Amino acid sequence: MNHAVTPQIDPALLAHLQSWQGKSETTPDTITAAPLRALSATLDRDDPAPHAGTAVPPLWHWLYFLPHARQSEIGPDGHPQRGGFLPPVPLPRRMWAGGRLRWDTANPLQVGQAVERVSTIRSVTHKAGRSGELLFVLVEHQFRNAQGVSLTEEHDIVYRAAAQPGDAAPVPVRPPLDGQQSWSRVITPDDVLLFRYSALTFNGHRIHYDRKYVTEVEGYPGLIVHGPLIATLLIDLLRRSLPQAQVQSFAFKAVRPTFDLHAFSVHGKPSADGKTIELWAQDHEGWLTMQATATLA
């Protein structure tokens, strides 16, 4: 049974949070080789050493443009304190819910390039779900090198209320293509994998490495596998299966949290013409945890 909880976001506060819509910031960075080498090792790949001109693989741009908040600016969850570019949402649990990306395959991000990321808050929306209040922030990122826009990304962030006794768990669903996969791989999400990905993305969010925090404060049963890491593993499965493929677009949605308590699996199935790839992740019980679609150039 759900306990009645007074909403934390009333119309006045929502209007204040929505005043962040349209806010923009520009962040410069240089594409260097070391993060690519490190993620290749973390994903257990045997890639050639990257050098000037090496293209950044799809989703590996998440190794750059990292937030470098000072230690005194870190909040209790390990993230930078609320406010600044993102609105100061009072709901304590923050997750990466999904995203959509489009690449200009003729203008890839490459090692040695100076790149700007222009980020704009497109929308702030409030909903009441089965598990309480939800607030969604949609951020658009454009990545621009000297030749123009190389990548456009829409990033969905969801904020949730604190866990309450009797909260309804997400209704589990089976993958629509369960049993029809052409490719599969089993992933063991141990502490070291989660730590290395957190370190590579300068992600201090304690839900990924602090077991006491994630179980006692946020109420989850174990460490949470990063949504971006699972998305990266889905694309990695595609790249292992079709090494010459050029990904033109990718859309993904986190459906259910994945915890480090058990191995999980990633799967893929190309369409008849080979241009669209359905990708998904499922937990040890077979429940869908992330669903994605890639289109090839």
Side-chain angles (χ1 to χ4, degrees), residues 58-59 61 99-105 107 109 122 140-143 149-155 247-251 293 295:
L59 303 189
H61 69 287
R100 293 151 303 283
L101 304 97
R102 300 184 307 278
W103 286 267
D104 180 350
T105 55
N107 178 30
L109 299 178
R122 292 300 183 194
E140 179 192 76
H141 302 291
Q142 285 193 340
F143 297 83
V149 176
S150 174
L151 166 63
T152 300
E153 173 181 6
E154 292 181 335
H155 171 193
V247 178
Q248 192 166 56
S249 69
F250 182 69
T293 302
T295 59

Side-chain angles (χ1 to χ4, degrees), residues 51-285:
H51 52 79
T54 296
V56 176
L59 303 189
W60 290 30
H61 69 287
W62 289 334
L63 300 173
Y64 305 97
F65 305 96
L66 305 178
H68 292 147
R70 294 170 56 181
Q71 190 66 19
S72 59
E73 298 170 347
I74 297 298
D77 62 355
H79 264 310
Q81 292 174 8
R82 309 295 172 89
F85 176 65
L86 289 173
V89 180
L91 302 176
R93 295 194 286 177
R94 173 164 51 178
M95 304 288 287
W96 190 320
R100 293 151 303 283
L101 304 97
R102 300 184 307 278
W103 286 267
D104 180 350
T105 55
N107 178 30
L109 299 178
Q110 297 178 340
V111 172
Q113 290 180 345
V115 180
E116 281 189 340
R117 183 187 70 185
V118 180
S119 304
T120 305
I121 296 178
R122 292 300 183 194
S123 66
V124 177
T125 56
H126 180 243
K127 296 180 182 179
R130 294 175 68 251
S131 58
E133 286 188 279
L134 302 169
L135 191 127
F136 295 89
V137 177
L138 170 60
V139 182
E140 179 192 76
H141 302 291
Q142 285 193 340
F143 297 83
R144 301 173 180 173
N145 57 20
Q147 287 70 48
V149 176
S150 174
L151 166 63
T152 300
E153 173 181 6
E154 292 181 335
H155 171 193
D156 301 323
I157 307 169
V158 61
Y159 297 82
R160 301 177 59 196
Q164 300 292 329
D167 273 354
V171 177
V173 296
R174 295 289 180 188
L177 297 177
D178 194 14
Q180 302 178 46
Q181 56 266 26
S182 301
W183 322 314
S184 297
R185 188 169 177 230
V186 175
I187 308 296
T188 300
D190 60 26
D191 301 52
V192 177
L193 174 63
L194 301 192
F195 166 78
R196 292 178 90 181
Y197 191 76
S198 287
L200 278 170
T201 54
F202 205 60
N203 183 350
H205 200 180
R206 293 167 67 181
I207 62 173
H208 303 303
Y209 61 85
D210 187 336
R211 195 173 304 276
K212 182 178 175 66
Y213 171 84
V214 76
T215 56
E216 296 183 9
V217 176
E218 298 220 9
Y220 293 107
L223 298 177
I224 297 176
V225 182
H226 315 65
L229 174 57
I230 298 174
T232 300
L233 288 164
L234 290 176
I235 286 284
D236 184 62
L237 176 68
L238 188 162
R239 294 179 63 216
R240 289 170 187 263
S241 305
L242 299 173
Q244 304 306 313
Q246 279 192 304
V247 178
Q248 192 166 56
S249 69
F250 182 69
F252 69 102
K253 181 181 179 181
V255 176
R256 185 178 175 87
T258 298
F259 303 103
D260 73 328
L261 305 175
H262 305 277
F264 66 95
S265 54
V266 290
H267 307 273
K269 179 178 173 60
S271 61
D273 64 5
K275 291 296 187 182
T276 301
I277 314 294
E278 299 298 334
L279 297 157
W280 67 94
Q282 53 194 120
D283 64 18
H284 66 292
E285 296 181 301

